[in-house]
Amino acid sequence: YIMSHTVSTPEPWGPQRGRLTLASSNSDEVNPPEYEAFKGPSPRAPTLSVLGVDMYVTDNKKAHNTSKYKNTNLIVRRNKEFIIIIRFDRPLNNQQDNVYLEFMIGNTPDEYKGTQITVSIGKEKRDGNWDGRVIGMQGTEVTVGITPDASCIIGRFRTFVAVVTDFGRQRTQRNPDTDFYVLFNPWDPALYDPFNIFNDDNEYVMNDVGIIYNGEYNNITSRAWNFGQFEKGVLDACLLVLDAGKVPLLYRGNAIEVVRQGSALINSQDDDGVLVGSWSGEYSTGTAPTAWTGSPEILLKYARDGCVPVCFAQCWVFAGVLNTFMRCLGIPARVISNYCSAHDNTGNLKTDIILDEDGRVNRSRTRDSVWNYHSWNEVYMKRSDLPEKFSGWQVIDCTPQETSDGLYRCGPTSVNAIRDGELSYPFDARFVFAELNSDVVYHQSDKYGNTKIISVDTTYVGKLLITKSVNSNAYEDITSAYKYPEGSDKDKQAMQMAERRGVPTRDYSTIPEAGVDIELQADTIKIGDNFKLTLNIKNQTSQTCTLSAVITGCVVYYTGITSSIFKLDNKAATVDPWKTSSMMIDVTASEYMPYRVEQSNLLFVVYGRIEENGKTLSAMRVVTLLPPDLTIKVTGTPWVGRDFMVTVLFRNPFNFILKNIQLRLESPGLITTKMKTYDHIAPGGSLQYTETITPQYPGKSVLMACLDCAAVRQVTSQLEIFVQ
């Protein structure tokens, strides 16, 4: 018995089979929660051997809100008891038998490092980080309750039962069926009070489908995203991300550390993480960012290919995968869209737009950009390293923009701290503050390269922040969580606090007030439409004014980077005192279509000069070009165990051929990702793809489809169905 061994039994024991029944509370043999000491007559009991261990998977998963994980092993959450049943070859004698449960993680388990946990259920009691108790004994079966420590390492543990005798230690052999996963516990009040807002079906942990919002703030669009945190293999893939990133096991018990590491490891910029970012428009060596429909396909490919980064991603893909990573490990998370999000290259809280002498945008000298929208994540956690008021929602961002402590990552940084201008707390608060509060400063350059500020817009950046509402596909406006109303006393106090924390002071006192406001407006349009741009001129003075305006039309990426200038127009108008005048600018498809790029938008910048006093002013407006429609239809009523058909329909509305098309269809819990490729679709031609599905589970499901090719991106559709 010095050598470890397992006695074979006629019954298969494991997490799914040979399940034992707990003794009832009125059983003659069990007296829960304590048990009566064994009173056998023998001074030395026969040697004890372990015949089997039942991890009680189904009941434990239900109690720990982990039943949705498609994984045959037990999955539990920290600081919550789970039950296992051990079967011996004779009744346990707690006066003489010395029995330990041992849980190990990693290659070199060590009790002092929290990677080997020992819980005594026999005569020798010992203190440890995990609580263990004998709930009851019935014949040769012992029911044990185990409670992982509230700060224990998250990951996959191995289970052993050790019997110690005078002759040595007898330990059961490794059985993968008794391995179990420990995850963070968002329902643990010790970690989340006083901010505990989570119920059993909480949106931010348990919902495996989400909505990511895009477009621009005057024209919000959206696409469904399959987070798929419960899909087969996804939990192992998320843990593999930590392994591949060489995150020490000691860090994996600290939610703050896991979140910060995760924001670095989802991008591949400096650590061969999950996703390769690309905004080049050339994706022939991988998958276009716009073609993905969910995270499982990406994470499983990363794991299957030996941790080779997956090509390609942009901000919403990064945010979608990071959201999956967090929810899968038990950290509440959601995706945020910030409209008019500044990327301030110089860090001066100013987004500088350089115009030439004639009022046209100078592409070569304009380095800063304002993204139409930018997606990042929030996680909900207690910040034990900060004052209590800064717990709650924290910003994290894995889109590689700037480095933080030497790696491309961002956060976690407190949303409350951002709102109040408290930028000295970790991590990366100043960068996030700039994304929301930068001023758009228009400069005019002369022929010698000298510039002067001609106007400033302090309200353009951080126009709107939204996220998916709880139990609804509508969006929730959370702008007030990040910013006080523009110009309010609290807004001024927050900016003063930010300046005390090192943000450059706003000083535009030398810019004279023009007394005239200009604004650009446009209707919602589809790719290939002609449309009218409206320039409104509001004279707020007692004098008649004559305005000369130069309108520059640019094709831009969603990141605000200019691709081409396709239109220059000059307009003039005379506006009476205290009146508003409007001018119409015709924009034709033939002007912008030849210059169109992926996810292209049209940026119009107007530069105006008042003839009477020489004062200047500027404004800009992004016009989103909406893609054509994609339709999902269901034939038949979805029932568990019965086939029904899903058809995806698309018609090419353009006068040019669409080539090398990818079509994806997926739905968590219904079907894994199905991808079809098509050589081309002729002008006016149609595509029809049909898939037969046999549901295995009842309830709500979301079908998601995406068509993608170089000529047109972001063609998506979703359909919610209910399986009876």
Side-chain angles (χ1 to χ4, degrees):
Y1 289 105
I2 294 176
M3 296 179 64
S4 63
H5 74 285
T6 303
V7 178
S8 60
T9 69
E11 298 177 51
W13 287 83
Q16 299 299 319
R17 306 175 68 181
R19 179 179 159 201
L20 301 179
T21 303
L22 285 173
S24 63
S25 59
N26 59 358
S27 166
D28 292 334
E29 298 180 69
V30 180
N31 201 10
E34 301 297 331
Y35 63 91
E36 186 176 348
F38 180 81
K39 298 179 180 178
S42 171
R44 181 180 294 278
T47 303
L48 186 69
S49 293
V50 179
L51 300 184
V53 177
D54 182 1
M55 301 301 287
Y56 226 60
V57 172
T58 302
D59 287 9
N60 280 325
K61 278 187 170 181
K62 184 176 181 181
H64 285 252
N65 291 309
T66 59
S67 297
K68 294 179 72 173
Y69 286 88
K70 293 181 175 63
N71 190 309
T72 57
N73 287 77
L74 175 61
I75 302 171
V76 300
R77 299 190 187 274
R78 302 195 305 188
N79 204 26
K80 185 176 179 64
E81 186 178 70
F82 65 95
I83 293 168
I84 64 176
I85 298 174
I86 308 168
R87 186 167 67 131
F88 297 99
D89 63 344
R90 63 165 174 78
L92 178 71
N93 181 334
N94 76 311
Q95 294 294 311
Q96 296 185 16
D97 295 323
N98 213 357
V99 180
Y100 299 95
L101 278 164
E102 296 177 335
F103 307 114
M104 304 180 189
I105 189 171
N107 295 327
T108 56
D110 186 328
E111 289 194 17
Y112 296 103
K113 295 181 178 179
T115 54
Q116 176 172 332
I117 310 297
T118 302
V119 177
S120 173
I121 59 171
K123 66 176 183 179
E124 288 191 7
K125 303 300 181 185
R126 54 185 294 177
D127 294 330
N129 291 333
W130 292 24
D131 290 334
R133 67 187 181 109
V134 174
I135 295 175
M137 296 194 299
Q138 185 174 13
T140 61
E141 299 163 3
V142 179
T143 303
V144 182
I146 302 295
T147 304
D149 181 65
S151 60
C152 80
I153 294 166
I154 58 105
R156 180 169 178 152
F157 284 81
R158 307 180 293 278
T159 302
F160 301 93
V161 182
V163 178
V164 179
T165 70
D166 294 340
F167 303 102
R169 177 184 291 261
Q170 169 195 327
R171 177 185 286 140
T172 55
Q173 291 180 349
R174 165 77 188 283
N175 180 3
D177 288 342
T178 61
D179 288 0
F180 66 99
Y181 300 82
V182 178
L183 305 180
F184 292 108
N185 186 357
W187 293 278
D188 183 357
L191 296 179
Y192 290 92
D193 278 345
F195 307 99
N196 197 345
I197 59 172
F198 303 106
N199 50 37
D200 286 353
D201 60 347
N202 180 259
E203 168 86 28
Y204 307 124
V205 180
M206 302 303 291
N207 197 346
D208 55 0
V209 176
I211 301 290
I212 299 179
Y213 297 95
N214 47 29
E216 49 98 15
Y217 79 96
N218 283 306
N219 183 19
I220 296 170
T221 55
S222 65
R223 61 180 296 160
W225 190 264
N226 175 16
F227 297 128
Q229 65 267 34
F230 307 119
E231 295 301 299
K232 184 178 180 180
V234 169
L235 175 55
D236 287 318
C238 291
L239 295 174
L240 180 62
V241 170
L242 296 173
D243 292 340
K246 297 181 174 58
V247 178
L249 287 170
L250 288 175
Y251 288 3
R252 301 188 195 185
N254 184 336
I256 297 170
E257 191 65 47
V258 170
V259 162
R260 184 149 173 79
Q261 295 281 350
S263 75
L265 294 171
I266 298 302
N267 73 69
S268 66
Q269 197 77 3
D270 38 30
D271 48 22
D272 285 337
V274 177
L275 282 161
V276 178
S278 176
W279 288 260
S280 68
E282 169 51 49
Y283 309 119
S284 60
T285 57
T287 299
T290 47
W292 301 112
T293 49
S295 306
E297 184 181 2
I298 294 168
L299 287 165
L300 295 177
K301 177 175 173 56
Y302 178 74
R304 185 174 62 248
D305 293 350
C307 302
V308 175
V310 179
C311 302
F312 292 100
Q314 292 175 5
C315 71
W316 72 93
V317 182
F318 284 115
V321 174
L322 184 57
N323 216 59
T324 298
F325 179 83
M326 294 301 162
R327 289 188 183 182
C328 188
L329 298 181
I331 297 174
R334 60 186 185 181
V335 177
I336 309 299
S337 294
N338 175 33
Y339 287 92
C340 300
S341 186
H343 186 185
D344 179 11
N345 279 290
T346 54
N348 60 1
L349 216 64
K350 298 180 178 67
T351 298
D352 298 304
I353 308 296
I354 313 298
L355 309 178
D356 64 18
E357 288 181 286
D358 300 322
R360 298 175 298 186
V361 175
N362 187 320
R363 291 174 55 204
S364 63
R365 298 189 62 186
T366 300
R367 293 182 58 240
D368 293 344
S369 62
V370 179
W371 297 33
N372 292 352
Y373 67 94
H374 178 49
S375 299
W376 62 60
N377 301 78
E378 287 179 354
V379 290
Y380 199 85
M381 62 170 57
K382 185 175 182 66
R383 288 297 298 270
S384 55
D385 57 329
L386 303 182
E388 186 174 325
K389 66 179 180 178
F390 297 133
S391 289
W393 289 115
Q394 314 287 315
V395 173
I396 56 173
D397 190 351
C398 64
T399 300
Q401 297 181 87
E402 302 292 335
T403 58
S404 172
D405 295 334
L407 297 175
Y408 280 91
R409 58 183 170 185
C410 180
T413 186
S414 167
V415 171
N416 291 341
I418 295 297
R419 182 193 59 202
D420 293 339
E422 291 276 10
L423 308 185
S424 58
Y425 295 109
F427 300 88
D428 310 308
R430 182 167 168 171
F431 180 79
V432 178
F433 188 84
E435 290 181 292
L436 297 159
N437 293 287
S438 285
D439 297 331
V440 177
V441 182
Y442 296 92
H443 305 257
Q444 189 169 36
S445 172
D446 62 22
K447 61 183 178 181
Y448 302 107
N450 302 313
T451 62
K452 64 176 181 179
I453 297 175
I454 55 174
S455 66
V456 177
D457 189 342
T458 61
T459 65
Y460 187 83
V461 169
K463 285 278 192 185
L464 178 69
L465 291 104
I466 60 176
T467 188
K468 178 185 176 299
S469 298
V470 175
N471 299 323
S472 168
N473 287 340
Y475 68 77
E476 177 185 356
D477 184 345
I478 57 170
T479 310
S480 61
Y482 282 86
K483 305 174 70 170
Y484 292 110
E486 187 74 29
S488 67
D489 289 343
K490 286 192 172 182
D491 176 53
K492 293 174 183 176
Q493 292 169 10
M495 185 56 66
Q496 290 168 0
M497 176 63 73
E499 289 171 357
R500 289 199 293 272
R501 299 292 183 259
V503 167
T505 303
R506 286 174 166 174
D507 184 11
Y508 309 120
S509 57
T510 58
I511 306 171
E513 289 289 335
V516 177
D517 288 337
I518 56 176
E519 178 190 32
L520 290 167
Q521 290 183 328
D523 294 330
T524 300
I525 63 167
K526 288 193 171 184
I527 297 170
D529 286 353
N530 301 327
F531 65 97
K532 292 184 182 296
L533 188 70
T534 303
L535 174 61
N536 295 320
I537 307 162
K538 186 177 182 180
N539 184 357
Q540 301 181 88
T541 71
S542 58
Q543 305 294 321
T544 298
C545 74
T546 303
L547 181 77
S548 298
V550 177
I551 298 98
T552 306
C554 312
V555 173
V556 294
Y557 297 91
Y558 87 95
T559 57
I561 301 297
T562 301
S563 170
S564 305
I565 293 175
F566 72 89
K567 188 177 184 68
L568 286 171
D569 206 349
N570 294 281
K571 295 285 185 180
T574 300
V575 187
D576 293 333
W578 314 112
K579 297 291 184 181
T580 298
S581 178
S582 297
M583 292 189 292
M584 310 300 291
I585 299 105
D586 290 317
V587 182
T588 64
S590 60
E591 289 179 292
Y592 67 78
M593 286 295 284
Y595 301 98
R596 216 169 50 82
V597 294
E598 61 157 22
Q599 304 177 75
S600 57
N601 301 282
L602 307 181
L603 171 67
F604 294 92
V605 178
V606 59
Y607 164 76
R609 184 176 184 278
I610 301 171
E611 300 297 338
E612 285 78 6
N613 56 25
K615 293 178 180 178
T616 57
L617 61 164
S618 293
M620 61 181 176
R621 171 67 187 263
V622 173
V623 177
T624 299
L625 302 175
L626 297 180
D629 294 329
L630 187 68
T631 304
I632 305 175
K633 291 185 177 180
V634 170
T635 304
T637 302
W639 283 83
V640 171
R642 300 183 190 175
D643 292 350
F644 74 97
M645 289 194 300
V646 175
T647 302
V648 182
L649 302 166
F650 174 78
R651 178 184 172 277
N652 178 6
F654 305 116
N655 59 3
F656 52 85
I657 299 173
L658 299 179
K659 299 179 180 179
N660 301 321
I661 303 106
Q662 282 189 358
L663 179 67
R664 277 176 170 80
L665 175 68
E666 71 173 309
S667 177
L670 271 184
I671 55 169
T672 56
T673 306
K674 305 290 184 183
M675 188 183 78
K676 299 284 287 185
T677 58
Y678 299 87
D679 182 64
H680 70 277
I681 306 174
S686 297
L687 174 154
Q688 179 172 313
Y689 166 60
T690 301
E691 184 73 33
T692 300
I693 299 175
T694 308
Q696 301 300 314
Y697 309 98
K700 184 182 74 173
S701 292
V702 179
L703 291 160
M704 290 165 277
C706 176
L707 181 141
D708 192 80
C709 64
V712 60
R713 307 285 192 190
Q714 295 283 28
V715 183
T716 65
S717 182
Q718 58 259 6
L719 179 66
E720 190 172 290
I721 64 171
F722 190 85
V723 178
Q724 302 184 46

